[in-house]
Amino acid sequence: MRVSRTSAAIALAAALTLTPALAACTTTGASDSATPTPSVADGAPAPAPADVMFVQMMIPHHEQAIEMSEILLAKDGMPAELRELAEQIAAEQGPEIELMRSWLREWGMPEMGDMPGSDGGHGGHGGHGGHAGMDGMLSEAELDELRAAEGEQAVELFLRQMIAHHEGAIDMARDVIDNGRHPDVRALVEEIIASQQAEIDLMTEWLVR
């Protein structure tokens, strides 16, 4: 179910004009001769290319986790503990999306949906088919499978899909620990790793009961 970071890199390379100074980051409407770089306030830490790419990719990744949670919450007869987890995921990741968007605005960098060659639609759910190359991202067919599932099948499918989704987020987070330098991004990354690993452990325990 998980897709490699190599696929994500290929997808991004096709969508973006890469520069040596900032791989995988560009500005909407920039001229061909311009070299896009993050704009930061005086004294503020400048993000590394890995910081910017992580934030750009994690926004739609989080949006899909919320979408998956909303699909589960719309079903009848779901166990109370599973509904509580889905609500928790949405409550945690929604504010993180807004925080990451504020960083991109501060840096003068676009979201993935605003980049040339993207399919857009970053402001809502259901527009993530073009991001399926990211670690853990579900295809539209897999989301449809979750929408159609009922009862115990829905419970098991949600757990397996969300475990893979969380594992992908953790892999992306570990990449930025190795290559990023922005302290606020690192703090968020460490929180994502801790919280999502705890949820993976819980969901894995539920699957083997």
Side-chain angles (χ1 to χ4, degrees):
M1 187 179 299
R2 295 181 51 201
V3 189
S4 69
R5 287 186 294 282
T6 302
S7 298
I10 293 171
L12 284 172
L16 307 177
T17 301
L18 302 181
T19 67
L22 188 62
C25 302
T26 186
T27 54
T28 304
S31 66
D32 292 340
S33 61
T35 300
T37 55
S39 60
V40 294
D42 291 343
D51 295 315
V52 179
M53 176 177 274
F54 171 79
V55 171
Q56 288 171 325
M57 294 177 72
M58 192 55 68
I59 288 172
H61 203 277
H62 271 21
E63 286 181 329
Q64 189 178 80
I66 294 174
E67 181 177 11
M68 294 163 66
S69 298
E70 290 175 346
I71 291 171
L72 185 282
L73 291 168
K75 296 181 182 295
D76 294 328
M78 294 296 99
E81 59 189 0
L82 188 59
R83 294 182 63 85
E84 183 178 345
L85 175 63
E87 290 169 351
Q88 175 180 306
I89 289 170
E92 289 175 350
Q93 297 197 17
E96 289 176 355
I97 289 170
E98 294 310 311
L99 177 62
M100 290 186 285
R101 282 182 171 152
S102 73
W103 289 340
L104 291 179
R105 290 193 297 269
E106 178 184 335
W107 301 336
M109 302 305 295
E111 293 186 39
M112 286 189 71
D114 296 329
M115 294 177 180
S118 73
D119 58 3
H122 67 267
H125 304 317
H128 306 306
H131 303 314
M134 291 184 216
D135 282 359
M137 287 289 278
L138 273 60
S139 67
E140 194 61 34
E142 288 169 326
L143 287 172
D144 286 341
E145 186 180 4
L146 179 60
R147 293 184 184 103
E150 298 293 344
E152 288 299 317
Q153 180 189 15
V155 171
E156 180 175 353
L157 187 59
F158 175 83
L159 291 173
R160 293 191 184 281
Q161 288 180 338
M162 190 61 79
I163 287 170
H165 200 268
H166 276 16
E167 287 173 342
I170 290 173
D171 284 347
M172 292 163 64
R174 286 177 175 151
D175 283 347
V176 83
I177 281 182
D178 293 336
N179 300 300
R181 64 169 175 248
H182 197 286
D184 293 340
V185 175
R186 178 172 291 269
L188 176 61
V189 160
E190 291 172 349
E191 174 60 28
I192 286 172
I193 291 173
S195 64
Q196 296 203 18
Q197 185 60 57
E199 290 171 353
I200 287 171
D201 294 343
L202 180 62
M203 290 186 287
T204 301
E205 178 184 327
W206 288 349
L207 277 173
V208 300
R209 284 200 280 202

PDB file of all heavy atoms in Angstrom, residues 47-81:
ATOM      1  N   PRO A  47      14.862  28.227   5.970  1.00  0.00           N
ATOM      2  CA  PRO A  47      14.624  26.790   5.830  1.00  0.00           C
ATOM      3  C   PRO A  47      15.549  26.186   4.787  1.00  0.00           C
ATOM      4  O   PRO A  47      15.911  26.830   3.806  1.00  0.00           O
ATOM      5  CB  PRO A  47      13.166  26.718   5.372  1.00  0.00           C
ATOM      6  CG  PRO A  47      12.958  28.005   4.626  1.00  0.00           C
ATOM      7  CD  PRO A  47      13.785  29.030   5.347  1.00  0.00           C
ATOM      8  N   ALA A  48      15.945  24.952   5.010  1.00  0.00           N
ATOM      9  CA  ALA A  48      16.670  24.186   4.012  1.00  0.00           C
ATOM     10  C   ALA A  48      15.684  23.676   2.966  1.00  0.00           C
ATOM     11  O   ALA A  48      14.477  23.631   3.209  1.00  0.00           O
ATOM     12  CB  ALA A  48      17.400  23.016   4.676  1.00  0.00           C
ATOM     13  N   PRO A  49      16.167  23.278   1.776  1.00  0.00           N
ATOM     14  CA  PRO A  49      15.261  22.686   0.789  1.00  0.00           C
ATOM     15  C   PRO A  49      14.453  21.530   1.359  1.00  0.00           C
ATOM     16  O   PRO A  49      13.268  21.382   1.028  1.00  0.00           O
ATOM     17  CB  PRO A  49      16.218  22.220  -0.311  1.00  0.00           C
ATOM     18  CG  PRO A  49      17.376  23.159  -0.218  1.00  0.00           C
ATOM     19  CD  PRO A  49      17.535  23.450   1.242  1.00  0.00           C
ATOM     20  N   ALA A  50      15.064  20.712   2.232  1.00  0.00           N
ATOM     21  CA  ALA A  50      14.342  19.583   2.818  1.00  0.00           C
ATOM     22  C   ALA A  50      13.198  20.050   3.710  1.00  0.00           C
ATOM     23  O   ALA A  50      12.147  19.408   3.767  1.00  0.00           O
ATOM     24  CB  ALA A  50      15.304  18.706   3.627  1.00  0.00           C
ATOM     25  N   ASP A  51      13.377  21.180   4.414  1.00  0.00           N
ATOM     26  CA  ASP A  51      12.304  21.727   5.251  1.00  0.00           C
ATOM     27  C   ASP A  51      11.114  22.135   4.382  1.00  0.00           C
ATOM     28  O   ASP A  51       9.954  21.825   4.702  1.00  0.00           O
ATOM     29  CB  ASP A  51      12.795  22.959   6.023  1.00  0.00           C
ATOM     30  CG  ASP A  51      13.877  22.651   7.040  1.00  0.00           C
ATOM     31  OD1 ASP A  51      13.725  21.661   7.785  1.00  0.00           O
ATOM     32  OD2 ASP A  51      14.857  23.404   7.093  1.00  0.00           O
ATOM     33  N   VAL A  52      11.401  22.856   3.290  1.00  0.00           N
ATOM     34  CA  VAL A  52      10.329  23.347   2.429  1.00  0.00           C
ATOM     35  C   VAL A  52       9.590  22.188   1.781  1.00  0.00           C
ATOM     36  O   VAL A  52       8.355  22.148   1.763  1.00  0.00           O
ATOM     37  CB  VAL A  52      10.899  24.301   1.357  1.00  0.00           C
ATOM     38  CG1 VAL A  52       9.772  24.788   0.436  1.00  0.00           C
ATOM     39  CG2 VAL A  52      11.591  25.495   2.006  1.00  0.00           C
ATOM     40  N   MET A  53      10.342  21.216   1.250  1.00  0.00           N
ATOM     41  CA  MET A  53       9.692  20.085   0.591  1.00  0.00           C
ATOM     42  C   MET A  53       8.836  19.302   1.584  1.00  0.00           C
ATOM     43  O   MET A  53       7.714  18.887   1.260  1.00  0.00           O
ATOM     44  CB  MET A  53      10.722  19.158  -0.045  1.00  0.00           C
ATOM     45  CG  MET A  53      10.092  17.901  -0.654  1.00  0.00           C
ATOM     46  SD  MET A  53      11.284  16.826  -1.486  1.00  0.00           S
ATOM     47  CE  MET A  53      11.292  17.584  -3.098  1.00  0.00           C
ATOM     48  N   PHE A  54       9.335  19.105   2.798  1.00  0.00           N
ATOM     49  CA  PHE A  54       8.569  18.373   3.805  1.00  0.00           C
ATOM     50  C   PHE A  54       7.238  19.063   4.070  1.00  0.00           C
ATOM     51  O   PHE A  54       6.184  18.421   4.106  1.00  0.00           O
ATOM     52  CB  PHE A  54       9.369  18.264   5.104  1.00  0.00           C
ATOM     53  CG  PHE A  54       8.564  17.723   6.255  1.00  0.00           C
ATOM     54  CD1 PHE A  54       8.327  16.361   6.376  1.00  0.00           C
ATOM     55  CD2 PHE A  54       8.024  18.575   7.212  1.00  0.00           C
ATOM     56  CE1 PHE A  54       7.569  15.863   7.431  1.00  0.00           C
ATOM     57  CE2 PHE A  54       7.272  18.087   8.258  1.00  0.00           C
ATOM     58  CZ  PHE A  54       7.044  16.714   8.375  1.00  0.00           C
ATOM     59  N   VAL A  55       7.270  20.376   4.279  1.00  0.00           N
ATOM     60  CA  VAL A  55       6.047  21.114   4.577  1.00  0.00           C
ATOM     61  C   VAL A  55       5.087  21.044   3.393  1.00  0.00           C
ATOM     62  O   VAL A  55       3.882  20.813   3.561  1.00  0.00           O
ATOM     63  CB  VAL A  55       6.386  22.573   4.952  1.00  0.00           C
ATOM     64  CG1 VAL A  55       5.115  23.415   5.051  1.00  0.00           C
ATOM     65  CG2 VAL A  55       7.143  22.612   6.281  1.00  0.00           C
ATOM     66  N   GLN A  56       5.607  21.240   2.178  1.00  0.00           N
ATOM     67  CA  GLN A  56       4.746  21.188   0.994  1.00  0.00           C
ATOM     68  C   GLN A  56       4.080  19.816   0.835  1.00  0.00           C
ATOM     69  O   GLN A  56       2.914  19.724   0.441  1.00  0.00           O
ATOM     70  CB  GLN A  56       5.571  21.521  -0.255  1.00  0.00           C
ATOM     71  CG  GLN A  56       5.958  22.991  -0.347  1.00  0.00           C
ATOM     72  CD  GLN A  56       6.947  23.264  -1.465  1.00  0.00           C
ATOM     73  OE1 GLN A  56       7.815  22.438  -1.747  1.00  0.00           O
ATOM     74  NE2 GLN A  56       6.835  24.414  -2.104  1.00  0.00           N
ATOM     75  N   MET A  57       4.814  18.756   1.133  1.00  0.00           N
ATOM     76  CA  MET A  57       4.269  17.410   0.957  1.00  0.00           C
ATOM     77  C   MET A  57       3.380  16.989   2.128  1.00  0.00           C
ATOM     78  O   MET A  57       2.414  16.253   1.947  1.00  0.00           O
ATOM     79  CB  MET A  57       5.409  16.407   0.775  1.00  0.00           C
ATOM     80  CG  MET A  57       6.207  16.605  -0.501  1.00  0.00           C
ATOM     81  SD  MET A  57       7.604  15.462  -0.675  1.00  0.00           S
ATOM     82  CE  MET A  57       6.744  13.934  -1.028  1.00  0.00           C
ATOM     83  N   MET A  58       3.708  17.459   3.343  1.00  0.00           N
ATOM     84  CA  MET A  58       2.949  17.004   4.505  1.00  0.00           C
ATOM     85  C   MET A  58       1.565  17.629   4.569  1.00  0.00           C
ATOM     86  O   MET A  58       0.647  17.040   5.165  1.00  0.00           O
ATOM     87  CB  MET A  58       3.732  17.302   5.788  1.00  0.00           C
ATOM     88  CG  MET A  58       3.177  16.625   7.035  1.00  0.00           C
ATOM     89  SD  MET A  58       3.008  14.813   6.893  1.00  0.00           S
ATOM     90  CE  MET A  58       4.727  14.308   6.814  1.00  0.00           C
ATOM     91  N   ILE A  59       1.370  18.782   3.960  1.00  0.00           N
ATOM     92  CA  ILE A  59       0.026  19.385   3.975  1.00  0.00           C
ATOM     93  C   ILE A  59      -0.992  18.463   3.298  1.00  0.00           C
ATOM     94  O   ILE A  59      -2.003  18.093   3.918  1.00  0.00           O
ATOM     95  CB  ILE A  59       0.044  20.795   3.343  1.00  0.00           C
ATOM     96  CG1 ILE A  59       0.753  21.778   4.276  1.00  0.00           C
ATOM     97  CG2 ILE A  59      -1.391  21.281   3.049  1.00  0.00           C
ATOM     98  CD1 ILE A  59       0.999  23.153   3.660  1.00  0.00           C
ATOM     99  N   PRO A  60      -0.800  18.046   2.038  1.00  0.00           N
ATOM    100  CA  PRO A  60      -1.781  17.119   1.447  1.00  0.00           C
ATOM    101  C   PRO A  60      -1.780  15.751   2.127  1.00  0.00           C
ATOM    102  O   PRO A  60      -2.815  15.083   2.155  1.00  0.00           O
ATOM    103  CB  PRO A  60      -1.362  17.019  -0.021  1.00  0.00           C
ATOM    104  CG  PRO A  60       0.054  17.473  -0.063  1.00  0.00           C
ATOM    105  CD  PRO A  60       0.189  18.484   1.028  1.00  0.00           C
ATOM    106  N   HIS A  61      -0.654  15.353   2.694  1.00  0.00           N
ATOM    107  CA  HIS A  61      -0.610  14.081   3.427  1.00  0.00           C
ATOM    108  C   HIS A  61      -1.542  14.148   4.632  1.00  0.00           C
ATOM    109  O   HIS A  61      -2.350  13.241   4.877  1.00  0.00           O
ATOM    110  CB  HIS A  61       0.827  13.800   3.862  1.00  0.00           C
ATOM    111  CG  HIS A  61       1.120  12.355   4.121  1.00  0.00           C
ATOM    112  ND1 HIS A  61       0.827  11.745   5.322  1.00  0.00           N
ATOM    113  CD2 HIS A  61       1.676  11.392   3.341  1.00  0.00           C
ATOM    114  CE1 HIS A  61       1.201  10.474   5.262  1.00  0.00           C
ATOM    115  NE2 HIS A  61       1.714  10.235   4.073  1.00  0.00           N
ATOM    116  N   HIS A  62      -1.452  15.230   5.401  1.00  0.00           N
ATOM    117  CA  HIS A  62      -2.352  15.434   6.533  1.00  0.00           C
ATOM    118  C   HIS A  62      -3.806  15.553   6.065  1.00  0.00           C
ATOM    119  O   HIS A  62      -4.718  15.033   6.719  1.00  0.00           O
ATOM    120  CB  HIS A  62      -1.958  16.705   7.289  1.00  0.00           C
ATOM    121  CG  HIS A  62      -0.954  16.495   8.382  1.00  0.00           C
ATOM    122  ND1 HIS A  62      -0.117  15.408   8.460  1.00  0.00           N
ATOM    123  CD2 HIS A  62      -0.670  17.263   9.478  1.00  0.00           C
ATOM    124  CE1 HIS A  62       0.646  15.512   9.541  1.00  0.00           C
ATOM    125  NE2 HIS A  62       0.315  16.626  10.179  1.00  0.00           N
ATOM    126  N   GLU A  63      -4.021  16.266   4.967  1.00  0.00           N
ATOM    127  CA  GLU A  63      -5.395  16.432   4.475  1.00  0.00           C
ATOM    128  C   GLU A  63      -6.025  15.076   4.171  1.00  0.00           C
ATOM    129  O   GLU A  63      -7.216  14.868   4.437  1.00  0.00           O
ATOM    130  CB  GLU A  63      -5.399  17.314   3.223  1.00  0.00           C
ATOM    131  CG  GLU A  63      -5.175  18.780   3.511  1.00  0.00           C
ATOM    132  CD  GLU A  63      -5.200  19.631   2.255  1.00  0.00           C
ATOM    133  OE1 GLU A  63      -4.825  19.144   1.178  1.00  0.00           O
ATOM    134  OE2 GLU A  63      -5.596  20.809   2.361  1.00  0.00           O
ATOM    135  N   GLN A  64      -5.224  14.161   3.622  1.00  0.00           N
ATOM    136  CA  GLN A  64      -5.800  12.854   3.324  1.00  0.00           C
ATOM    137  C   GLN A  64      -6.100  12.071   4.600  1.00  0.00           C
ATOM    138  O   GLN A  64      -7.110  11.356   4.664  1.00  0.00           O
ATOM    139  CB  GLN A  64      -4.891  12.030   2.418  1.00  0.00           C
ATOM    140  CG  GLN A  64      -5.586  10.761   1.935  1.00  0.00           C
ATOM    141  CD  GLN A  64      -4.737   9.941   0.995  1.00  0.00           C
ATOM    142  OE1 GLN A  64      -3.858   9.211   1.430  1.00  0.00           O
ATOM    143  NE2 GLN A  64      -5.016  10.040  -0.304  1.00  0.00           N
ATOM    144  N   ALA A  65      -5.269  12.197   5.626  1.00  0.00           N
ATOM    145  CA  ALA A  65      -5.561  11.529   6.889  1.00  0.00           C
ATOM    146  C   ALA A  65      -6.881  12.031   7.479  1.00  0.00           C
ATOM    147  O   ALA A  65      -7.676  11.249   8.028  1.00  0.00           O
ATOM    148  CB  ALA A  65      -4.418  11.749   7.892  1.00  0.00           C
ATOM    149  N   ILE A  66      -7.130  13.331   7.350  1.00  0.00           N
ATOM    150  CA  ILE A  66      -8.400  13.885   7.816  1.00  0.00           C
ATOM    151  C   ILE A  66      -9.546  13.346   6.977  1.00  0.00           C
ATOM    152  O   ILE A  66     -10.616  12.993   7.502  1.00  0.00           O
ATOM    153  CB  ILE A  66      -8.357  15.425   7.781  1.00  0.00           C
ATOM    154  CG1 ILE A  66      -7.338  15.939   8.811  1.00  0.00           C
ATOM    155  CG2 ILE A  66      -9.742  16.014   8.050  1.00  0.00           C
ATOM    156  CD1 ILE A  66      -7.114  17.441   8.750  1.00  0.00           C
ATOM    157  N   GLU A  67      -9.340  13.268   5.663  1.00  0.00           N
ATOM    158  CA  GLU A  67     -10.372  12.728   4.783  1.00  0.00           C
ATOM    159  C   GLU A  67     -10.707  11.283   5.166  1.00  0.00           C
ATOM    160  O   GLU A  67     -11.886  10.892   5.233  1.00  0.00           O
ATOM    161  CB  GLU A  67      -9.911  12.790   3.329  1.00  0.00           C
ATOM    162  CG  GLU A  67     -10.934  12.269   2.331  1.00  0.00           C
ATOM    163  CD  GLU A  67     -10.491  12.416   0.895  1.00  0.00           C
ATOM    164  OE1 GLU A  67      -9.312  12.726   0.660  1.00  0.00           O
ATOM    165  OE2 GLU A  67     -11.334  12.215   0.003  1.00  0.00           O
ATOM    166  N   MET A  68      -9.683  10.470   5.403  1.00  0.00           N
ATOM    167  CA  MET A  68      -9.907   9.084   5.819  1.00  0.00           C
ATOM    168  C   MET A  68     -10.692   9.024   7.126  1.00  0.00           C
ATOM    169  O   MET A  68     -11.607   8.206   7.292  1.00  0.00           O
ATOM    170  CB  MET A  68      -8.562   8.365   5.981  1.00  0.00           C
ATOM    171  CG  MET A  68      -7.794   8.193   4.680  1.00  0.00           C
ATOM    172  SD  MET A  68      -6.042   7.792   4.956  1.00  0.00           S
ATOM    173  CE  MET A  68      -6.206   6.164   5.725  1.00  0.00           C
ATOM    174  N   SER A  69     -10.344   9.913   8.061  1.00  0.00           N
ATOM    175  CA  SER A  69     -11.052   9.951   9.339  1.00  0.00           C
ATOM    176  C   SER A  69     -12.511  10.341   9.155  1.00  0.00           C
ATOM    177  O   SER A  69     -13.414   9.764   9.785  1.00  0.00           O
ATOM    178  CB  SER A  69     -10.358  10.937  10.281  1.00  0.00           C
ATOM    179  OG  SER A  69      -9.029  10.530  10.546  1.00  0.00           O
ATOM    180  N   GLU A  70     -12.767  11.308   8.284  1.00  0.00           N
ATOM    181  CA  GLU A  70     -14.143  11.740   8.034  1.00  0.00           C
ATOM    182  C   GLU A  70     -14.961  10.628   7.378  1.00  0.00           C
ATOM    183  O   GLU A  70     -16.156  10.478   7.659  1.00  0.00           O
ATOM    184  CB  GLU A  70     -14.141  13.000   7.178  1.00  0.00           C
ATOM    185  CG  GLU A  70     -13.619  14.228   7.920  1.00  0.00           C
ATOM    186  CD  GLU A  70     -13.493  15.456   7.026  1.00  0.00           C
ATOM    187  OE1 GLU A  70     -13.550  15.287   5.779  1.00  0.00           O
ATOM    188  OE2 GLU A  70     -13.331  16.565   7.571  1.00  0.00           O
ATOM    189  N   ILE A  71     -14.334   9.861   6.500  1.00  0.00           N
ATOM    190  CA  ILE A  71     -15.030   8.723   5.883  1.00  0.00           C
ATOM    191  C   ILE A  71     -15.443   7.731   6.960  1.00  0.00           C
ATOM    192  O   ILE A  71     -16.578   7.223   6.966  1.00  0.00           O
ATOM    193  CB  ILE A  71     -14.127   8.046   4.830  1.00  0.00           C
ATOM    194  CG1 ILE A  71     -13.925   8.960   3.620  1.00  0.00           C
ATOM    195  CG2 ILE A  71     -14.724   6.707   4.386  1.00  0.00           C
ATOM    196  CD1 ILE A  71     -12.880   8.473   2.632  1.00  0.00           C
ATOM    197  N   LEU A  72     -14.546   7.441   7.867  1.00  0.00           N
ATOM    198  CA  LEU A  72     -14.838   6.488   8.953  1.00  0.00           C
ATOM    199  C   LEU A  72     -15.946   7.026   9.861  1.00  0.00           C
ATOM    200  O   LEU A  72     -16.881   6.307  10.218  1.00  0.00           O
ATOM    201  CB  LEU A  72     -13.554   6.226   9.744  1.00  0.00           C
ATOM    202  CG  LEU A  72     -13.525   5.183  10.871  1.00  0.00           C
ATOM    203  CD1 LEU A  72     -14.136   5.644  12.160  1.00  0.00           C
ATOM    204  CD2 LEU A  72     -14.129   3.859  10.404  1.00  0.00           C
ATOM    205  N   LEU A  73     -15.856   8.310  10.201  1.00  0.00           N
ATOM    206  CA  LEU A  73     -16.825   8.907  11.126  1.00  0.00           C
ATOM    207  C   LEU A  73     -18.224   8.990  10.520  1.00  0.00           C
ATOM    208  O   LEU A  73     -19.216   9.076  11.266  1.00  0.00           O
ATOM    209  CB  LEU A  73     -16.350  10.295  11.558  1.00  0.00           C
ATOM    210  CG  LEU A  73     -15.117  10.309  12.468  1.00  0.00           C
ATOM    211  CD1 LEU A  73     -14.554  11.722  12.609  1.00  0.00           C
ATOM    212  CD2 LEU A  73     -15.457   9.730  13.837  1.00  0.00           C
ATOM    213  N   ALA A  74     -18.333   8.972   9.201  1.00  0.00           N
ATOM    214  CA  ALA A  74     -19.643   9.029   8.547  1.00  0.00           C
ATOM    215  C   ALA A  74     -20.353   7.680   8.544  1.00  0.00           C
ATOM    216  O   ALA A  74     -21.529   7.603   8.176  1.00  0.00           O
ATOM    217  CB  ALA A  74     -19.484   9.532   7.114  1.00  0.00           C
ATOM    218  N   LYS A  75     -19.671   6.624   8.942  1.00  0.00           N
ATOM    219  CA  LYS A  75     -20.256   5.279   8.913  1.00  0.00           C
ATOM    220  C   LYS A  75     -21.002   4.991  10.219  1.00  0.00           C
ATOM    221  O   LYS A  75     -20.609   5.452  11.292  1.00  0.00           O
ATOM    222  CB  LYS A  75     -19.157   4.226   8.712  1.00  0.00           C
ATOM    223  CG  LYS A  75     -18.439   4.348   7.371  1.00  0.00           C
ATOM    224  CD  LYS A  75     -17.384   3.268   7.226  1.00  0.00           C
ATOM    225  CE  LYS A  75     -16.632   3.415   5.899  1.00  0.00           C
ATOM    226  NZ  LYS A  75     -17.504   3.202   4.735  1.00  0.00           N
ATOM    227  N   ASP A  76     -22.056   4.202  10.110  1.00  0.00           N
ATOM    228  CA  ASP A  76     -22.798   3.769  11.292  1.00  0.00           C
ATOM    229  C   ASP A  76     -22.137   2.532  11.888  1.00  0.00           C
ATOM    230  O   ASP A  76     -21.532   1.716  11.188  1.00  0.00           O
ATOM    231  CB  ASP A  76     -24.241   3.427  10.912  1.00  0.00           C
ATOM    232  CG  ASP A  76     -25.017   4.646  10.445  1.00  0.00           C
ATOM    233  OD1 ASP A  76     -24.730   5.755  10.946  1.00  0.00           O
ATOM    234  OD2 ASP A  76     -25.898   4.491   9.570  1.00  0.00           O
ATOM    235  N   GLY A  77     -22.272   2.403  13.205  1.00  0.00           N
ATOM    236  CA  GLY A  77     -21.849   1.182  13.871  1.00  0.00           C
ATOM    237  C   GLY A  77     -20.362   1.033  14.091  1.00  0.00           C
ATOM    238  O   GLY A  77     -19.901  -0.072  14.411  1.00  0.00           O
ATOM    239  N   MET A  78     -19.588   2.098  13.958  1.00  0.00           N
ATOM    240  CA  MET A  78     -18.154   1.996  14.211  1.00  0.00           C
ATOM    241  C   MET A  78     -17.890   1.989  15.715  1.00  0.00           C
ATOM    242  O   MET A  78     -18.578   2.682  16.479  1.00  0.00           O
ATOM    243  CB  MET A  78     -17.408   3.155  13.558  1.00  0.00           C
ATOM    244  CG  MET A  78     -17.447   3.154  12.023  1.00  0.00           C
ATOM    245  SD  MET A  78     -16.615   1.720  11.281  1.00  0.00           S
ATOM    246  CE  MET A  78     -18.038   0.638  10.905  1.00  0.00           C
ATOM    247  N   PRO A  79     -16.909   1.199  16.181  1.00  0.00           N
ATOM    248  CA  PRO A  79     -16.606   1.144  17.618  1.00  0.00           C
ATOM    249  C   PRO A  79     -16.270   2.529  18.164  1.00  0.00           C
ATOM    250  O   PRO A  79     -15.632   3.349  17.485  1.00  0.00           O
ATOM    251  CB  PRO A  79     -15.382   0.223  17.684  1.00  0.00           C
ATOM    252  CG  PRO A  79     -15.434  -0.590  16.430  1.00  0.00           C
ATOM    253  CD  PRO A  79     -16.042   0.305  15.391  1.00  0.00           C
ATOM    254  N   ALA A  80     -16.676   2.775  19.399  1.00  0.00           N
ATOM    255  CA  ALA A  80     -16.475   4.095  19.995  1.00  0.00           C
ATOM    256  C   ALA A  80     -14.997   4.464  20.067  1.00  0.00           C
ATOM    257  O   ALA A  80     -14.622   5.620  19.827  1.00  0.00           O
ATOM    258  CB  ALA A  80     -17.091   4.123  21.398  1.00  0.00           C
ATOM    259  N   GLU A  81     -14.136   3.491  20.392  1.00  0.00           N
ATOM    260  CA  GLU A  81     -12.715   3.789  20.512  1.00  0.00           C
ATOM    261  C   GLU A  81     -12.106   4.151  19.153  1.00  0.00           C
ATOM    262  O   GLU A  81     -11.200   4.988  19.071  1.00  0.00           O
ATOM    263  CB  GLU A  81     -11.970   2.607  21.128  1.00  0.00           C
ATOM    264  CG  GLU A  81     -12.099   1.313  20.347  1.00  0.00           C
ATOM    265  CD  GLU A  81     -11.522   0.124  21.113  1.00  0.00           C
ATOM    266  OE1 GLU A  81     -11.031   0.322  22.243  1.00  0.00           O
ATOM    267  OE2 GLU A  81     -11.552  -0.994  20.569  1.00  0.00           O
TER     268      GLU A  81
END
